[in-house]
Amino acid sequence: MRVLNVDLWQWSLDEPEESINHFSKDLSTEEHQRAERFVKLSDRSMYIVGRSGLRKILAEYVGVTSQTIQFNYGPHGKPYLRDGPWFNLSHSGGLAALAVCTRSDPGLDIELVRPIDDAVAKHNFSSAEYAELSRLPQADRLQGFFRCWTRKEAVLKMLGHGLHMPLDSFDVTLSPDVPAKLNRIEDGDPTSWSLFHLEPAPGWVGALALRDTDGPVELCWQSGEPIVRA
């Protein structure tokens, strides 16, 4: 039984404006057009740095230049490479994270922990998840919210459904003393899924979702700066 290796990368999206043109050289015409649609300059800059980092990292796996990476897109816009590897990108609060895997399609989500109104959980979580969250001590609920939110987002991103799949159609764990796990999913087998809790940086919470791994999984945070400057 082979171990499934998943490489995890992270990098800052906060770069000085004078360096953005350097990063933009990696982007495709379509990505340049998308970047120009951002209203806020900071959002445009972070998008460019994020896509540049994604391309540079994947180029190392594929053995091509970052500019020649060709993305394909699923029905709901999830990017993939025709000949692999599988990957998933997430970003929040000026931090980007990327999961890369050669034998399984990963779903990755990271979130900067910040105040969230209880109504968000009540509206988006399943009844079982909201009940579990409500049982936590008040001091633990914010972390509990983000454990739940990132695990649900990781599942959706692995499936490539985005928000086209109802958020209450599956349950995940969220208590601090309970391992990350998918407890229920409509029209599916929760035991075929693997969920992993991540803490990519102080103040951030994350999750990785995999399905049908057929064996043990090893996560490896990659050291070093993934964005190579010219």
Side-chain angles (χ1 to χ4, degrees):
M1 186 176 294
R2 288 192 300 165
V3 174
L4 177 65
N5 295 300
V6 182
D7 291 340
L8 298 171
W9 299 84
Q10 67 180 61
W11 64 98
S12 173
L13 300 177
D14 293 323
E15 293 287 343
E17 188 58 34
E18 58 267 23
S19 69
I20 297 303
N21 284 340
H22 165 72
F23 294 103
S24 67
K25 294 175 183 177
D26 296 309
L27 274 57
S28 67
T29 300
E30 186 276 333
E31 288 168 331
H32 278 291
Q33 292 171 346
R34 182 173 178 183
E36 291 304 318
R37 292 198 290 268
F38 285 97
V39 176
K40 293 177 62 177
L41 188 61
S42 59
D43 291 339
R44 172 183 172 274
S45 297
M46 286 193 288
Y47 171 78
I48 290 172
V49 177
R51 295 299 286 199
S52 173
L54 170 66
R55 284 177 165 275
K56 281 188 168 70
I57 293 169
L58 292 178
E60 291 296 317
Y61 288 90
V62 179
V64 299
T65 64
S66 56
Q67 294 91 342
T68 57
I69 289 284
Q70 294 288 326
F71 292 114
N72 295 284
Y73 293 89
H76 300 295
K78 183 179 181 180
Y80 66 94
L81 299 177
R82 183 172 313 214
D83 298 316
W86 299 103
F87 67 93
N88 202 216
L89 175 70
S90 182
H91 52 83
S92 177
L95 183 70
L98 175 69
V100 183
C101 185
T102 57
R103 291 194 291 115
S104 184
D105 192 1
L108 175 70
D109 188 59
I110 63 168
E111 297 289 342
L112 175 65
V113 176
R114 63 223 183 251
I116 294 290
D117 192 281
D118 181 72
V120 178
K122 191 170 186 179
H123 177 73
N124 290 287
F125 292 178
S126 70
S127 57
E129 291 166 339
Y130 186 70
E132 185 176 350
L133 181 67
S134 300
R135 288 193 294 268
L136 294 181
Q138 189 65 41
D140 295 338
R141 288 186 188 176
L142 187 60
Q143 289 287 331
F145 171 90
F146 280 102
R147 282 191 292 269
C148 186
W149 184 268
T150 54
R151 291 169 193 180
K152 293 177 82 67
E153 281 289 312
V155 169
L156 292 177
K157 291 183 70 179
M158 185 267 133
L159 292 171
H161 290 345
L163 295 179
H164 295 271
M165 179 177 177
L167 285 168
D168 62 356
S169 64
F170 60 100
D171 301 330
V172 299
T173 57
L174 59 88
S175 294
D177 55 346
V178 178
K181 183 182 178 183
L182 181 67
N183 286 329
R184 174 187 69 91
I185 186 166
E186 291 183 2
D187 302 321
D189 178 12
T191 64
S192 67
W193 287 79
S194 299
L195 287 182
F196 300 90
H197 174 73
L198 304 174
E199 295 181 5
W204 276 264
V205 171
L208 175 74
L210 299 164
R211 188 172 62 176
D212 300 325
T213 57
D214 297 323
V217 177
E218 182 174 287
L219 308 184
C220 182
W221 285 101
Q222 301 300 304
S223 60
E225 175 60 55
I227 298 177
V228 180
R229 298 181 186 277

